[in-house]
């Protein structure tokens, strides 16, 4: 059985607010833990009214504090926005509070627009190109301090926080392979180079002290409901969100709309079909069949499942049905 984890984009549904969104996140995390999911990750996005996880490490701490055993982490922290020392201190603190449960996925995109990136007090000039050296610097802050070292990440120094490289192109695959780190590909919204990136990562992987052999995690959309029709209706929320984002009008997560996809023009349909190609939408049986085929095609070690569902209760039901579809056993109470 393929390992399953949850990527929560902390959606803010239309008609709701950030406080309720974060309460929904904590509720979903507790259900994910009960259902036997391995990880619960949150992502850094800025200046997006429909996403509540901009202060990613703060939300990770809240989720870890509300759960007992599930791994909690960042999928990911956008390292060009931050000094590596600051991230080492933040995640060193999380690791000290929740030993053995914290993951740190790193991305090289800013997770926002250029204007907001400047407001974050970082510049895109050179920072993205410095990503490999920033990753190495961050990993060095986690290493044991050397005699005479004048600056120490405290907390952070000596903490064994697993580092992942995230990506939506072959760049991250090459870097993860070169550094001997696990690799997570953002196929849930940018699947175009997925198979090529996987091949490059596996073929060029160098074993390291962190990882002996390649480990591939793939982002994957799941919208599960009692019937295929009900799941397709839930799916229209993320379809609307993508169209809004690509047309420059991002907002809160819209409620489902009957017949939305069918009313779109060909260009919009093509955009949605390309962006959301890695999706399982349907009943338990449909989801089971779709995921099985995806796993066989990619050989993924783990799927990081995301479900941008407007109704929080339907989102919980979706991950319950997914667990049923793959035969995942809930944890004992």
């Amino acid at each position: 059985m393929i390992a399953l984890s949850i990527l929560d984009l902390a959606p803010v549904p239309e008609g709701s607010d950030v406080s309720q969104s974060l309460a929904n996140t904590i509720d979903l995390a507790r259900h994910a833990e009960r259902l036997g999911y391995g990880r619960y990750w949150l992502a850094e996005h800025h200046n997006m009214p429909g996403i509540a996880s901009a202060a990613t490490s703060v939300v990770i701490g809240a989720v870890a504090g509300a759960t007992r055993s599930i791994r909690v982490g960042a999928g990911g922290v956008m390292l060009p926005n931050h000094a590596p020392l600051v991230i080492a201190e933040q995640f060193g603190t999380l690791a000290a509070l929740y030993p053995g449960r914290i993951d740190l996925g790193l991305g090289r995109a800013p997770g926002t627009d250029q204007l907001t990136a400047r407001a974050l007090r970082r510049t895109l000039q050179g920072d993205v190109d410095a990503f490999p050296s920033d990753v190495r610097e961050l990993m060095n802050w986690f290493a044991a301090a050397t005699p005479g070292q004048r600056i120490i990440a405290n907390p952070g120094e000596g903490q064994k926080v697993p580092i992942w490289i995230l990506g939506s192109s072959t760049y991250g695959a090459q870097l993860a392979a070169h550094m001997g780190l696990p690799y997570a590909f953002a196929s849930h919204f940018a699947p175009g180079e997925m198979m090529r990136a996987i091949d490059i990562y596996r073929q060029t992987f160098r074993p390291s002290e962190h990882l002996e052999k390649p480990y591939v995690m793939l982002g994957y959309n799941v919208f599960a409901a009692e019937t295929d029709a009900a799941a397709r209706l839930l799916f229209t929320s993320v379809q609307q969100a993508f169209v809004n984002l690509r047309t420059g009008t991002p907002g809160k997560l819209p409620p489902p709309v009957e017949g939305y996809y069918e009313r779109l023009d060909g260009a919009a349909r093509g955009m949605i079909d390309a962006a959301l190609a890695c999706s399982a939408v349907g009943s338990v049986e449909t989801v089971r069949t779709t995921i099985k085929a995806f796993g066989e095609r990619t050989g993924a070690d783990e799927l990081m499942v995301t479900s941008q569902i407007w109704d929080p209760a339907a989102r919980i039901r979706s991950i319950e049905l997914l667990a049923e579809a793959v035969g995942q056993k809930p944890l004992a109470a």
Side-chain angles (χ1 to χ4, degrees), residues 34 68 330-333:
R34 171 182 61 83
R68 294 180 298 172
L331 300 179

Side-chain angles (χ1 to χ4, degrees), residues 12 24 39-40 52 54 68 80 99 138 152 178 195 199 243 265 270 300 312:
V12 184
N24 295 341
R39 309 174 201 274
Y40 196 96
R68 294 180 298 172
L138 174 56
I152 297 174
H178 178 76
M195 294 306 300
D199 288 343
V243 170
D265 60 34

Side-chain angles (χ1 to χ4, degrees), residues 1 4 29-39 67-71 101 323 327-333:
M1 182 181 74
L4 291 180
R30 288 171 172 154
H31 282 281
E33 180 174 68
R34 171 182 61 83
L35 292 164
Y37 288 88
R39 309 174 201 274
T67 53
R68 294 180 298 172
S69 59
I70 194 170
R71 297 192 67 89
R101 294 180 57 202
Q328 185 165 277
K329 297 186 181 302
L331 300 179

Side-chain angles (χ1 to χ4, degrees), residues 82-311:
H82 311 279
L85 176 59
V86 171
I87 299 303
E89 291 172 340
Q90 290 178 3
F91 280 79
T93 300
L94 289 167
L97 288 168
Y98 310 104
R101 294 180 57 202
I102 301 300
D103 296 325
L104 176 52
L106 300 172
R108 68 190 283 258
T112 188
D113 57 89
Q114 293 194 8
L115 185 64
T116 306
R118 286 195 291 271
L120 289 165
R121 301 299 188 265
R122 300 285 283 177
T123 170
L124 295 182
Q125 185 65 40
D127 288 340
V128 170
D129 294 334
F131 183 63
S133 60
D134 283 349
V135 173
R136 292 189 186 92
E137 180 184 340
L138 174 56
M139 295 173 71
N140 286 337
W141 290 124
F142 284 130
T146 57
Q149 183 173 325
R150 297 184 63 186
I151 303 174
I152 297 174
N154 187 23
E157 183 263 341
Q159 294 280 10
K160 298 185 182 302
V161 179
I163 301 291
W164 294 66
I165 299 297
L166 314 184
S168 57
S169 69
T170 58
Y171 179 94
Q174 295 174 60
L175 180 61
H178 178 76
M179 300 186 75
L181 295 173
Y183 179 54
F185 188 86
S187 36
H188 59 294
F189 74 90
E193 293 193 273
M194 176 183 70
M195 294 306 300
R196 186 162 168 253
I198 292 171
D199 288 343
I200 288 172
Y201 173 66
R202 288 177 175 150
Q203 290 171 13
T204 61
F205 180 83
R206 301 179 182 179
S208 70
E209 62 179 301
H210 309 287
L211 193 64
E212 292 182 358
K213 60 182 182 179
Y215 192 93
V216 174
M217 176 193 288
L218 299 178
Y220 197 70
N221 300 289
V222 174
F223 291 74
E226 309 302 332
T227 66
D228 287 354
R232 286 194 296 269
L233 180 59
L234 295 178
F235 194 43
T236 63
S237 289
V238 74
Q239 291 173 336
Q240 294 174 74
F242 262 92
V243 170
N244 293 343
L245 180 64
R246 296 293 173 87
T247 56
T249 56
K252 293 183 177 182
L253 185 66
V257 173
E258 289 277 5
Y260 174 77
Y261 179 83
E262 290 73 18
R263 292 194 295 272
L264 292 173
D265 60 34
R269 286 191 195 183
M271 181 272 292
I272 287 174
D273 291 344
L276 303 177
C278 294
S279 301
V281 182
S283 64
V284 167
E285 185 55 41
T286 298
V287 168
R288 179 184 295 121
T289 302
T290 307
I291 284 184
K292 183 174 184 291
F294 184 75
E296 290 173 350
R297 178 163 71 95
T298 62
D301 298 290
E302 187 170 345
L303 294 187
M304 178 63 71
V305 172
T306 185
S307 305
Q308 291 282 79
I309 294 175
W310 179 78
D311 178 4

